[in-house]
Amino acid sequence: MNLAKRAARAPDTMPLLLNIESLANGPVRLKGELSPEELDMETLDELVKANEPLDYDLMAERAGDNILLRGRLSMRLQCECARCLQAFVHGVELPDWSCLLPLAGEEKIELTNVSADLTPYLREDTFLAFPQHPLCETGCNESPKWTEGDGKQLKIKEASDEPSEASVWSKLDNMNLE
Ligand SMILES: [Zn+2]
């Protein structure tokens, strides 16, 4: 595992760097975790907190003028149910994640010397898998106590679904510019 040499440095401030020259000898396994500090994810949803590491177990290989990443991403989110407000843990699992990163052309990825920072790509796709409307269990119908006798607040919550989705996309647009 070529990540072993990273162990000497503080693990909670390390981006995921891939030395692309190392791929000349064949696929490289990348396994570890990205800390919440490294991910710097704002969830845009007070019901979802991304305060635990993102685990990854990936194979990276050259595919023509691209780097192909394949493997598993997973992350635990601390959520509050949108209906009953109960706290629960939601596991984001991307067991068959893959990503193609061009090394040439207009979309090519940015390199620092011979290293590519893979952190933004893992962050983006994990972020897309966050629950839009977290529920403690499928079909939870319990209304939060504080809305009893006051349907107005509940309505506002329901109506806010679409704008929050739109802001997720604008957030991603901003990330692409980085
Ligand atoms: Zn619930």
Side-chain angles (χ1 to χ4, degrees):
M1 237 180 292
N2 75 329
L3 293 183
K5 60 175 87 95
R6 281 174 36 185
R9 295 179 59 178
D12 56 355
T13 55
M14 292 298 290
L16 173 52
L17 294 176
L18 172 67
N19 179 331
I20 61 164
E21 288 187 344
S22 67
L23 299 178
N25 302 320
V28 171
R29 187 171 186 200
L30 304 165
K31 186 173 173 7
E33 60 180 39
L34 288 166
S35 69
E37 292 76 20
E38 193 60 51
L39 291 167
D40 195 23
M41 279 211 234
E42 283 180 47
T43 63
L44 306 170
D45 186 344
E46 60 183 14
L47 299 177
V48 178
K49 292 205 168 35
N51 52 9
E52 295 194 34
L54 165 61
D55 286 307
Y56 57 86
D57 186 355
L58 306 171
M59 293 300 290
E61 60 185 298
R62 276 295 287 263
D65 281 337
N66 305 290
I67 299 170
L68 175 61
L69 298 175
R70 272 188 302 196
R72 181 184 61 81
L73 302 177
S74 64
M75 186 172 185
R76 283 157 49 95
L77 303 173
Q78 304 294 333
C79 296
E80 267 179 56
C81 178
R83 294 252 172 77
C84 71
L85 298 182
Q86 183 180 304
F88 67 101
V89 173
H90 177 89
V92 172
E93 290 284 342
L94 299 170
D96 298 307
W97 182 73
S98 66
C99 184
L100 200 61
L101 306 175
L103 292 168
E106 276 182 27
E107 304 283 303
K108 74 177 177 191
I109 59 170
E110 208 175 296
L111 297 179
T112 305
N113 299 318
V114 292
S115 292
D117 183 0
L118 306 182
T119 309
Y121 306 99
L122 274 64
R123 173 171 51 202
E124 185 171 323
D125 283 358
T126 305
F127 187 71
L128 281 175
F130 280 16
Q132 291 291 319
H133 199 68
L135 295 178
C136 62
E137 56 185 87
T138 311
C140 171
N141 275 321
E142 199 171 319
S143 293
K145 289 189 172 58
W146 48 268
T147 59
E148 271 173 22
D150 182 7
K152 211 164 65 183
Q153 291 201 34
L154 194 60
K155 246 187 200 132
I156 290 168
K157 265 194 168 309
E158 285 169 355
S160 70
D161 274 2
E162 286 192 19
S164 91
E165 191 165 2
S167 61
V168 166
W169 287 109
S170 72
K171 165 101 178 171
L172 287 172
D173 285 343
N174 291 340
M175 293 200 307
N176 286 339
L177 293 175
E178 280 169 9

